[in-house]
Amino acid sequence: MTSSQTILVTGATSGFGAALAKRLVKEGHRVIATGRRTERLTALHHTLGDALLPVTLDMTDISAIRNVPQQLPDAWRSVDVLINNAGLALGVGPAQDCDPNEWETMVHTNISGLIEITHAFLPGMIQRQQGYIISIGSTAGTYPYRGGNVYGATKAFVSQFMRNLRTDLLGTPLRVTNLEPGLCGGSEFSDVRLGDSAKAAAVYEGTAPLTPDDIAETVSWLLQLPAHMNINRIEMMPVCQASGGLSVQRTPSAS
């Protein structure tokens, strides 16, 4: 499917979302770019021109999300592709030491915001019998790690939601893909999570991680596949990463 499409990308002010917007406009698509930071969306519009429509949107504001389809200009309302990119992680401490407010923020953004905007655009896609929903999940939704707790659980939710969505849409031409990256640098993800740029940089020290452009490359490939072909999920990691296996805590033997 290579013809020009109208694509909505959430969380387009940085990282994956900005890379997606730039790549998709370059390939001839029209992109609705959403995010909380209006000034960044405006700058993206200045860079990419009128093929990009900036829409300020907070993914924790459910009423605003529900109103997005009606508030789009008429020429932009027929969204062909929804890319659920907006999401975040906060903190890396063990569950007992975490701030419940940070947990709530992750749940509201990664789960509630994602399902709400998906539901907002599904009826139109069903009516037109055309649509593709791509969510950016994470390997954290499959492989647990220390400090992953609620972030990993939100991404596991996204993975299962997308599987069930695909099942619900059986009998329609709509397609559904969950894209699950592992270690990925070049975004604000670790800066937001750790709240410290030096600590964030240390996460990627000595590695060659995935980049936002790699994510955009993968989405570009998905959009070019034949309309009858659905890729259910893609798990992708840099070659410097692999799943770590199970851990065992051993008690020191008495001497």
XYZ file of all heavy atoms in Angstrom, residues 80-185:
798
model
N -6.410 7.302 7.659
C -6.151 5.958 7.136
C -5.313 5.122 8.090
O -5.495 3.907 8.189
C -5.413 6.051 5.791
C -6.206 6.812 4.745
O -7.331 6.382 4.442
O -5.699 7.838 4.244
N -4.374 5.777 8.772
C -3.438 5.062 9.647
C -3.336 5.815 10.964
O -3.119 7.027 10.987
C -2.030 4.952 9.016
C -1.094 4.159 9.928
C -2.101 4.315 7.634
N -3.498 5.087 12.062
C -3.287 5.640 13.395
C -2.047 4.992 13.991
O -1.977 3.764 14.095
C -4.489 5.367 14.294
C -4.310 5.670 15.788
C -4.051 7.160 16.017
C -5.524 5.196 16.578
N -1.062 5.808 14.351
C 0.155 5.289 14.981
C 0.165 5.734 16.440
O 0.380 6.905 16.748
C 1.421 5.760 14.255
C 1.380 5.331 12.786
C 2.665 5.193 14.937
C 2.575 5.781 11.963
N -0.106 4.786 17.321
C -0.114 5.038 18.755
C 1.325 5.014 19.269
O 1.838 3.983 19.702
C -0.940 3.975 19.477
C -2.426 4.130 19.236
O -2.955 5.233 19.280
N -3.101 3.025 18.973
N 1.956 6.176 19.218
C 3.357 6.267 19.609
C 3.542 6.862 21.006
O 4.476 6.502 21.712
C 4.112 7.119 18.587
C 5.480 7.535 19.102
O 6.389 6.720 19.218
N 5.627 8.809 19.436
N 2.660 7.756 21.422
C 2.837 8.461 22.697
C 2.905 7.485 23.862
O 2.088 6.563 23.965
C 1.704 9.456 22.914
N 3.877 7.674 24.728
C 4.030 6.831 25.903
C 5.258 7.257 26.677
O 6.080 8.027 26.168
N 5.373 6.766 27.890
C 6.530 7.138 28.699
C 6.755 6.134 29.813
O 5.868 5.348 30.159
C 6.350 8.534 29.299
C 5.454 8.682 30.546
C 5.679 10.040 31.186
C 3.993 8.471 30.209
N 7.980 6.177 30.362
C 8.321 5.420 31.561
C 8.825 6.410 32.598
O 9.492 7.394 32.259
C 9.391 4.375 31.260
N 8.501 6.150 33.852
C 8.958 7.001 34.944
C 9.535 6.127 36.057
O 8.851 5.257 36.582
C 7.795 7.840 35.498
C 7.177 8.859 34.544
C 5.900 9.443 35.140
C 8.168 9.964 34.222
N 10.802 6.366 36.389
C 11.427 5.656 37.495
C 11.916 4.264 37.143
O 11.429 3.622 36.213
N 12.914 3.821 37.911
C 13.477 2.480 37.725
C 13.617 1.746 39.049
O 14.295 0.726 39.139
C 14.866 2.545 37.030
C 14.725 2.989 35.589
C 15.818 3.455 37.788
N 12.974 2.266 40.087
C 13.089 1.655 41.408
C 12.188 0.449 41.558
O 11.283 0.211 40.746
N 12.404 -0.344 42.627
C 11.527 -1.477 42.914
C 10.133 -0.985 43.286
O 9.956 0.151 43.729
C 12.211 -2.175 44.093
C 13.025 -1.107 44.751
C 13.470 -0.201 43.645
N 9.152 -1.844 43.100
C 7.753 -1.456 43.284
C 7.495 -0.804 44.643
O 6.758 0.180 44.745
C 6.845 -2.667 43.093
N 8.116 -1.338 45.686
C 7.844 -0.828 47.024
C 8.359 0.593 47.249
O 7.941 1.279 48.184
C 8.447 -1.756 48.086
C 9.955 -1.897 48.066
C 10.447 -2.998 47.155
O 9.732 -3.394 46.230
N 11.650 -3.508 47.424
N 9.255 1.037 46.386
C 9.826 2.380 46.543
C 9.275 3.389 45.529
O 9.672 4.554 45.538
C 11.357 2.324 46.389
C 12.013 1.495 47.486
O 11.423 1.388 48.577
O 13.107 0.957 47.242
N 8.394 2.951 44.661
C 7.924 3.822 43.579
C 6.908 4.845 44.069
O 6.241 4.663 45.088
C 7.297 2.984 42.475
S 8.497 2.057 41.483
N 6.785 5.911 43.305
C 5.790 6.941 43.549
C 4.508 6.533 42.820
O 4.493 6.471 41.588
C 6.306 8.284 43.015
C 5.322 9.424 43.216
O 4.172 9.171 43.626
O 5.712 10.579 42.942
N 3.417 6.279 43.539
C 2.171 5.872 42.878
C 1.664 6.892 41.867
O 0.974 6.531 40.912
C 1.187 5.708 44.046
C 2.036 5.471 45.247
C 3.288 6.270 45.006
N 1.995 8.158 42.050
C 1.584 9.173 41.083
C 2.253 8.938 39.729
O 1.649 9.180 38.676
C 1.917 10.572 41.596
C 1.077 10.966 42.798
O -0.118 10.686 42.842
N 1.691 11.596 43.781
N 3.506 8.481 39.760
C 4.189 8.153 38.502
C 3.546 6.934 37.852
O 3.417 6.869 36.629
C 5.679 7.926 38.761
C 6.421 9.187 39.187
C 7.913 8.981 39.301
O 8.361 7.820 39.397
O 8.648 9.996 39.277
N 3.153 5.965 38.668
C 2.429 4.811 38.129
C 1.160 5.261 37.416
O 0.858 4.803 36.315
C 2.077 3.838 39.254
C 3.205 2.965 39.698
C 4.493 2.986 39.257
C 3.123 1.937 40.677
N 5.224 2.021 39.911
C 4.419 1.365 40.781
C 2.108 1.438 41.480
C 4.712 0.321 41.651
C 2.391 0.383 42.351
C 3.688 -0.164 42.431
N 0.410 6.161 38.050
C -0.844 6.629 37.465
C -0.600 7.347 36.143
O -1.364 7.179 35.185
C -1.568 7.558 38.440
C -2.147 6.861 39.658
C -3.246 5.874 39.299
O -4.024 6.168 38.375
O -3.304 4.799 39.932
N 0.462 8.143 36.095
C 0.772 8.852 34.851
C 1.054 7.875 33.719
O 0.597 8.061 32.578
C 1.978 9.788 35.052
O 1.657 10.759 36.048
C 2.344 10.509 33.760
N 1.805 6.814 34.015
C 2.094 5.807 32.990
C 0.827 5.094 32.541
O 0.614 4.873 31.335
C 3.127 4.808 33.502
C 4.532 5.361 33.586
S 5.783 4.102 34.032
C 5.575 4.026 35.810
N -0.030 4.741 33.484
C -1.277 4.059 33.130
C -2.167 4.964 32.289
O -2.722 4.543 31.257
C -2.017 3.591 34.400
C -3.432 3.120 34.068
C -1.244 2.467 35.085
N -2.294 6.229 32.695
C -3.161 7.151 31.964
C -2.653 7.416 30.550
O -3.449 7.538 29.612
C -3.274 8.481 32.721
C -4.058 8.367 33.986
N -3.944 9.274 35.011
C -4.961 7.446 34.404
C -4.745 8.919 36.003
N -5.368 7.811 35.653
N -1.333 7.507 30.397
C -0.763 7.797 29.075
C -0.659 6.551 28.208
O -1.144 6.523 27.065
C 0.638 8.417 29.232
O 0.568 9.560 30.084
C 1.205 8.826 27.882
N -0.034 5.514 28.744
C 0.288 4.325 27.947
C -0.913 3.428 27.683
O -0.928 2.692 26.690
C 1.370 3.499 28.643
C 2.663 4.267 28.851
O 2.802 5.403 28.424
N 3.608 3.651 29.539
N -1.891 3.467 28.573
C -3.064 2.598 28.417
C -4.305 3.419 28.054
O -4.861 3.277 26.968
C -3.318 1.769 29.688
C -2.162 0.787 29.929
C -4.640 1.009 29.571
C -2.310 -0.052 31.188
N -4.743 4.279 28.980
C -6.016 4.995 28.767
C -5.978 5.862 27.517
O -6.916 5.848 26.707
C -6.349 5.842 29.989
O -6.485 5.035 31.143
N -4.900 6.624 27.338
C -4.807 7.483 26.162
C -4.808 6.680 24.875
O -5.465 7.048 23.894
N -4.078 5.568 24.880
C -3.976 4.738 23.681
C -5.318 4.128 23.297
O -5.725 4.167 22.129
C -2.922 3.658 23.901
C -2.644 2.711 22.737
C -1.156 2.324 22.709
C -3.482 1.428 22.834
N -6.032 3.568 24.277
C -7.302 2.924 23.919
C -8.359 3.955 23.541
O -9.199 3.694 22.673
C -7.809 1.986 25.031
C -8.113 2.747 26.323
C -6.818 0.861 25.278
C -8.704 1.874 27.422
N -8.290 5.138 24.153
C -9.277 6.165 23.839
C -9.109 6.680 22.416
O -10.092 6.838 21.683
C -9.182 7.317 24.833
C -9.746 7.006 26.204
C -11.270 6.983 26.242
O -11.903 7.413 25.255
O -11.821 6.542 27.261
N -7.879 6.969 22.009
C -7.719 7.508 20.657
C -7.945 6.421 19.610
O -8.433 6.698 18.504
C -6.343 8.193 20.485
C -6.399 9.139 19.281
C -5.200 7.171 20.355
C -5.336 10.204 19.272
N -7.656 5.182 19.957
C -7.970 4.078 19.052
C -9.478 3.997 18.840
O -9.967 3.903 17.705
C -7.433 2.751 19.609
O -6.002 2.833 19.727
C -7.798 1.586 18.702
N -10.219 4.049 19.933
C -11.676 3.970 19.841
C -12.253 5.172 19.109
O -13.268 5.060 18.400
C -12.290 3.867 21.237
C -13.760 3.587 21.221
N -14.716 4.586 21.212
C -14.442 2.411 21.183
C -15.915 4.036 21.190
N -15.786 2.723 21.167
N -11.611 6.321 19.247
C -12.111 7.537 18.601
C -12.097 7.420 17.076
O -12.973 7.963 16.393
C -11.289 8.746 19.045
N -11.102 6.711 16.533
C -10.970 6.642 15.074
C -11.461 5.330 14.462
O -11.613 5.237 13.246
C -9.520 6.909 14.666
C -9.152 8.358 14.765
C -8.510 8.855 15.891
C -9.500 9.240 13.758
C -8.206 10.199 16.002
C -9.193 10.591 13.852
C -8.548 11.072 14.985
N -11.740 4.327 15.281
C -12.193 3.040 14.747
C -13.512 3.128 13.971
O -13.615 2.536 12.883
C -12.330 2.016 15.872
C -11.138 1.087 16.109
C -11.435 0.164 17.278
C -10.795 0.276 14.870
N -14.530 3.816 14.483
C -15.798 3.834 13.730
C -15.652 4.363 12.309
O -16.243 3.803 11.377
C -16.693 4.750 14.585
C -16.143 4.615 15.972
C -14.654 4.497 15.793
N -14.856 5.416 12.145
C -14.652 5.951 10.800
C -13.940 4.967 9.897
O -14.276 4.836 8.706
N -12.949 4.263 10.436
C -12.237 3.263 9.642
C -13.165 2.126 9.231
O -13.122 1.652 8.091
C -11.046 2.721 10.436
C -9.923 3.713 10.648
S -8.558 2.967 11.596
C -7.332 4.296 11.533
N -14.010 1.700 10.168
C -14.964 0.631 9.863
C -15.939 1.093 8.793
O -16.252 0.369 7.841
C -15.727 0.208 11.133
C -14.774 -0.455 12.148
C -16.872 -0.735 10.784
C -14.233 -1.781 11.720
N -16.432 2.305 8.920
C -17.392 2.831 7.949
C -16.781 2.907 6.553
O -17.443 2.571 5.554
C -17.874 4.213 8.387
C -18.939 4.805 7.488
C -19.418 6.156 7.988
O -18.688 6.875 8.650
N -20.641 6.519 7.669
N -15.515 3.326 6.477
C -14.852 3.448 5.164
C -14.252 2.121 4.704
O -13.786 2.017 3.574
C -13.736 4.504 5.249
C -14.239 5.918 5.486
C -13.103 6.923 5.376
N -12.028 6.670 6.346
C -12.010 7.115 7.592
N -13.036 7.840 8.049
N -11.004 6.849 8.401
N -14.245 1.125 5.609
C -13.646 -0.176 5.305
C -12.186 -0.021 4.878
O -11.715 -0.672 3.932
C -14.452 -0.917 4.240
C -15.769 -1.477 4.758
C -15.574 -2.627 5.740
O -15.277 -3.753 5.343
N -15.736 -2.356 7.045
N -11.486 0.835 5.600
C -10.068 1.062 5.346
C -9.417 1.604 6.618
O -9.919 2.555 7.217
C -9.866 2.062 4.209
C -8.399 2.346 3.908
C -8.232 3.256 2.705
O -9.055 3.259 1.793
N -7.169 4.038 2.702
N -8.295 1.013 6.999
C -7.596 1.543 8.155
C -6.489 0.626 8.625
O -6.491 -0.586 8.365
N -5.543 1.218 9.316
C -4.404 0.482 9.857
C -4.060 1.117 11.206
O -3.901 2.341 11.305
C -3.217 0.595 8.900
C -2.088 -0.415 9.104
C -1.095 -0.554 8.143
C -2.000 -1.204 10.241
C -0.063 -1.464 8.290
C -0.979 -2.113 10.398
C -0.009 -2.248 9.427
O 1.018 -3.150 9.595
N -3.977 0.302 12.237
C -3.613 0.777 13.567
C -2.286 0.143 13.957
O -2.151 -1.087 13.985
C -4.697 0.435 14.599
C -6.007 1.131 14.219
C -4.260 0.869 16.003
C -7.191 0.663 15.013
N -1.308 0.985 14.222
C 0.027 0.532 14.642
C 0.300 1.114 16.019
O 0.170 2.323 16.227
C 1.108 1.003 13.653
C 0.849 0.434 12.261
C 2.501 0.599 14.152
C 1.756 1.015 11.174
N 0.654 0.273 16.967
C 1.015 0.752 18.298
C 2.489 0.473 18.555
O 3.023 -0.559 18.130
C 0.165 0.073 19.376
O -1.161 0.540 19.348
N 3.130 1.410 19.248
C 4.509 1.212 19.654
C 4.500 0.612 21.053
O 4.224 1.296 22.042
C 5.311 2.534 19.645
C 5.189 3.216 18.278
C 6.770 2.255 19.998
C 5.725 2.428 17.106
N 4.728 -0.675 21.115
C 4.820 -1.369 22.391
C 6.254 -1.355 22.887
O 6.979 -0.379 22.708
N 6.686 -2.459 23.465
C 8.059 -2.553 23.973
C 8.368 -3.995 24.320
O 7.470 -4.764 24.696
C 8.219 -1.679 25.223
O 9.464 -1.911 25.856
N 9.650 -4.349 24.226
C 10.064 -5.661 24.728
C 9.825 -5.761 26.229
O 9.745 -6.864 26.774
C 11.550 -5.911 24.430
O 12.330 -4.832 24.969
C 11.805 -6.029 22.937
N 9.668 -4.608 26.912
C 9.364 -4.618 28.346
C 8.008 -5.238 28.626
O 7.728 -5.642 29.766
C 9.404 -3.194 28.904
N 7.157 -5.323 27.614
C 5.867 -5.975 27.779
C 5.960 -7.482 27.732
O 4.988 -8.176 28.045
N 7.128 -8.002 27.350
C 7.348 -9.447 27.276
C 8.345 -9.921 28.323
O 8.125 -10.939 28.983
C 7.871 -9.836 25.881
O 6.933 -9.405 24.888
C 8.084 -11.334 25.770
N 9.451 -9.185 28.478
C 10.537 -9.590 29.362
C 10.577 -8.694 30.604
O 10.820 -7.492 30.485
C 11.880 -9.503 28.636
C 11.896 -10.234 27.321
C 11.856 -9.536 26.110
C 11.931 -11.626 27.282
C 11.865 -10.196 24.899
C 11.943 -12.302 26.073
C 11.905 -11.591 24.879
O 11.905 -12.252 23.683
N 10.351 -9.243 31.786
C 10.436 -8.418 32.997
C 11.886 -8.082 33.339
O 12.804 -8.827 32.986
C 9.810 -9.306 34.067
C 10.048 -10.700 33.592
C 9.998 -10.641 32.091
N 12.076 -6.960 33.982
C 13.394 -6.589 34.487
C 13.206 -5.740 35.734
O 12.138 -5.168 35.955
C 14.206 -5.832 33.423
C 13.574 -4.556 32.921
C 13.776 -3.329 33.572
C 12.773 -4.561 31.783
C 13.194 -2.157 33.110
C 12.193 -3.396 31.311
C 12.398 -2.201 31.981
O 11.815 -1.058 31.528
N 14.225 -5.669 36.552
C 14.134 -4.922 37.802
C 13.796 -3.462 37.515
O 14.458 -2.807 36.717
C 15.446 -5.001 38.576
C 15.710 -6.358 39.211
C 17.001 -6.340 40.030
N 17.281 -7.644 40.610
C 16.830 -8.052 41.799
N 16.073 -7.238 42.523
N 17.145 -9.250 42.249
N 12.779 -2.967 38.190
C 12.360 -1.587 37.996
C 11.387 -1.402 36.851
O 10.917 -0.286 36.615
N 11.075 -2.472 36.124
C 10.151 -2.354 35.000
C 8.694 -2.280 35.433
O 7.880 -1.691 34.733
N 8.389 -2.889 36.543
C 7.049 -3.021 37.143
C 5.891 -2.451 36.312
O 5.423 -3.097 35.377
C 7.046 -2.486 38.579
C 7.756 -1.166 38.781
O 7.306 -0.139 38.321
N 8.878 -1.211 39.508
N 5.413 -1.254 36.616
C 4.204 -0.751 35.963
C 4.437 -0.393 34.499
O 3.561 -0.604 33.653
C 3.613 0.446 36.738
C 2.529 1.146 35.928
C 3.029 -0.037 38.062
N 5.620 0.112 34.161
C 5.882 0.402 32.747
C 5.754 -0.872 31.919
O 5.059 -0.896 30.886
C 7.273 1.005 32.558
C 7.640 1.140 31.096
C 6.976 2.049 30.281
C 8.620 0.329 30.519
C 7.279 2.151 28.929
C 8.928 0.433 29.175
C 8.259 1.346 28.376
O 8.550 1.435 27.043
N 6.402 -1.943 32.360
C 6.306 -3.202 31.638
C 4.882 -3.715 31.569
O 4.444 -4.257 30.550
N 4.138 -3.523 32.656
C 2.745 -3.977 32.676
C 1.890 -3.200 31.680
O 1.005 -3.762 31.030
C 2.171 -3.839 34.085
N 2.158 -1.889 31.524
C 1.385 -1.115 30.554
C 1.666 -1.583 29.133
O 0.762 -1.638 28.291
C 1.668 0.398 30.656
O 3.030 0.677 30.317
C 1.352 0.931 32.049
N 2.911 -1.958 28.866
C 3.247 -2.413 27.517
C 2.729 -3.829 27.266
O 2.416 -4.188 26.122
C 4.755 -2.327 27.298
C 5.262 -0.885 27.230
C 4.566 -0.082 26.131
C 5.149 1.308 25.965
N 4.500 2.059 24.867
N 2.620 -4.629 28.327
C 1.981 -5.940 28.184
C 0.505 -5.764 27.868
O -0.072 -6.510 27.063
C 2.159 -6.747 29.464
N -0.111 -4.764 28.478
C -1.510 -4.443 28.166
C -1.640 -4.083 26.683
O -2.550 -4.567 25.997
C -2.000 -3.276 29.027
C -3.393 -2.830 28.681
C -4.483 -3.320 29.368
C -3.618 -1.937 27.629
C -5.783 -2.938 29.035
C -4.905 -1.543 27.287
C -5.998 -2.044 27.986
N -0.753 -3.220 26.198
C -0.817 -2.804 24.799
C -0.710 -4.014 23.876
O -1.468 -4.152 22.901
C 0.285 -1.772 24.473
C 0.345 -1.496 22.971
C 0.053 -0.477 25.246
N 0.202 -4.919 24.199
C 0.385 -6.120 23.381
C -0.896 -6.959 23.327
O -1.344 -7.376 22.249
C 1.536 -6.958 23.945
O 1.703 -8.147 23.214
N -1.516 -7.181 24.479
C -2.727 -7.995 24.523
C -3.915 -7.262 23.908
O -4.754 -7.866 23.240
C -3.039 -8.401 25.962
C -4.124 -9.457 26.093
C -3.743 -10.789 25.455
O -2.575 -11.036 25.145
N -4.722 -11.649 25.241
N -3.982 -5.950 24.119
C -5.053 -5.154 23.505
C -4.987 -5.251 21.983
O -6.018 -5.423 21.314
C -4.937 -3.696 23.951
C -5.893 -2.765 23.257
C -7.257 -2.827 23.507
C -5.429 -1.813 22.350
C -8.142 -1.965 22.863
C -6.301 -0.952 21.708
C -7.665 -1.022 21.969
N -3.788 -5.162 21.444
C -3.649 -5.224 19.994
C -4.004 -6.601 19.448
O -4.601 -6.720 18.372
C -2.229 -4.820 19.600
C -1.884 -3.373 19.926
S -2.869 -2.179 18.997
C -2.021 -2.225 17.414
N -3.660 -7.656 20.177
C -4.062 -9.007 19.757
C -5.594 -9.122 19.721
O -6.174 -9.667 18.779
C -3.492 -10.052 20.713
C -2.001 -10.268 20.627
C -1.609 -11.497 21.440
N -0.173 -11.723 21.426
C 0.647 -11.380 22.404
N 0.170 -10.799 23.496
N 1.948 -11.619 22.323
N -6.226 -8.645 20.778
C -7.683 -8.723 20.837
C -8.341 -7.825 19.801
O -9.384 -8.178 19.235
C -8.164 -8.357 22.244
C -8.030 -9.517 23.216
O -8.906 -10.375 23.305
N -6.925 -9.560 23.935
N -7.739 -6.670 19.539
C -8.270 -5.772 18.526
C -8.255 -6.447 17.159
O -9.228 -6.364 16.399
C -7.451 -4.484 18.506
C -7.930 -3.357 17.587
C -9.339 -2.910 17.975
C -6.961 -2.185 17.652
N -7.166 -7.115 16.873
C -7.069 -7.834 15.595
C -8.174 -8.885 15.486
O -8.781 -9.061 14.420
C -5.689 -8.497 15.480
C -5.496 -9.342 14.226
C -5.383 -8.482 12.984
N -5.446 -9.298 11.785
C -6.537 -9.484 11.054
N -7.678 -8.913 11.395
N -6.505 -10.241 9.983
N -8.458 -9.567 16.586
C -9.517 -10.572 16.591
C -10.884 -9.936 16.387
O -11.715 -10.431 15.621
C -9.493 -11.356 17.913
O -8.222 -11.986 18.064
C -10.573 -12.425 17.949
N -11.131 -8.812 17.076
C -12.407 -8.119 16.913
C -12.617 -7.643 15.482
O -13.757 -7.559 15.011
C -12.480 -6.909 17.849
C -12.690 -7.285 19.303
O -13.034 -8.450 19.567
O -12.504 -6.416 20.173
N -11.533 -7.313 14.801
C -11.627 -6.753 13.452
C -11.592 -7.813 12.354
O -11.606 -7.470 11.164
C -10.502 -5.739 13.229
C -10.603 -4.483 14.106
C -9.356 -3.616 13.947
C -11.856 -3.681 13.768
N -11.553 -9.086 12.748
C -11.610 -10.154 11.757
C -12.903 -10.023 10.952
O -13.979 -9.822 11.510
C -11.569 -11.517 12.448
C -11.508 -12.734 11.524
C -10.210 -12.739 10.725
C -11.649 -14.023 12.338
N -12.777 -10.108 9.643
C -13.926 -9.908 8.776
C -13.966 -8.520 8.169
O -14.816 -8.225 7.321
N -13.024 -7.660 8.606
C -12.864 -6.341 8.008
C -11.481 -6.286 7.349
O -10.612 -7.107 7.658
C -12.956 -5.217 9.058
O -11.708 -5.143 9.784
C -14.096 -5.467 10.038
N -11.247 -5.303 6.489
C -9.922 -5.176 5.871
C -8.939 -4.392 6.745
O -7.819 -4.127 6.303
C -10.221 -4.426 4.569
C -11.422 -3.606 4.878
C -12.241 -4.408 5.843
N -9.344 -4.009 7.953
C -8.453 -3.237 8.810
C -7.287 -4.095 9.290
O -7.445 -5.288 9.572
C -9.213 -2.681 10.023
C -9.898 -1.328 9.817
C -11.014 -1.441 8.782
C -10.443 -0.798 11.137
N -6.123 -3.448 9.404
C -4.921 -4.152 9.841
C -4.444 -3.610 11.191
O -4.706 -2.460 11.538
C -3.814 -4.027 8.792
C -4.181 -4.702 7.483
C -3.021 -4.734 6.524
N -2.707 -3.408 6.008
C -1.570 -3.113 5.366
N -0.642 -4.044 5.201
N -1.362 -1.899 4.904
N -3.751 -4.447 11.937
C -3.312 -4.123 13.297
C -1.924 -4.690 13.520
O -1.691 -5.875 13.277
C -4.286 -4.717 14.346
C -3.755 -4.512 15.749
C -5.679 -4.113 14.195
N -0.992 -3.855 13.983
C 0.372 -4.311 14.269
C 0.863 -3.706 15.576
O 0.680 -2.511 15.817
C 1.350 -3.886 13.138
O 0.942 -4.492 11.907
C 2.774 -4.324 13.463
N 1.491 -4.532 16.402
C 2.183 -4.040 17.592
C 3.687 -4.125 17.332
O 4.217 -5.191 17.050
C 1.820 -4.861 18.823
C 2.168 -4.139 20.114
O 1.978 -2.929 20.225
N 2.681 -4.862 21.090
N 4.352 -2.980 17.403
C 5.791 -2.888 17.167
C 6.491 -2.777 18.521
O 6.220 -1.846 19.285
C 6.082 -1.678 16.289
C 7.537 -1.391 15.908
C 8.159 -2.578 15.220
C 7.589 -0.163 15.007
N 7.380 -3.706 18.828
C 7.949 -3.827 20.166
C 9.471 -3.668 20.137
O 10.210 -4.643 20.018
C 7.571 -5.176 20.764
C 6.058 -5.413 20.794
C 5.681 -6.838 21.136
O 6.573 -7.620 21.538
O 4.491 -7.193 20.987
N 9.975 -2.434 20.261
C 11.429 -2.229 20.255
C 12.055 -2.549 21.608
O 11.422 -2.436 22.657
C 11.572 -0.734 19.938
C 10.194 -0.248 19.600
C 9.245 -1.176 20.257
N 13.333 -2.902 21.544
C 14.139 -3.039 22.748
C 14.916 -1.764 22.990
O 14.373 -0.657 22.852
N 16.202 -1.892 23.312
C 17.041 -0.738 23.636
C 17.080 0.229 22.458
O 17.500 -0.111 21.364
C 18.459 -1.214 23.965
C 19.451 -0.134 24.428
C 19.064 0.391 25.808
C 20.875 -0.695 24.444
N 16.645 1.455 22.709
C 16.584 2.448 21.639
C 17.042 3.793 22.169
O 16.499 4.300 23.164
C 15.160 2.544 21.097
S 15.053 3.450 19.537
N 18.058 4.374 21.551
C 18.574 5.675 21.946
C 18.068 6.766 21.017
O 17.210 6.544 20.167
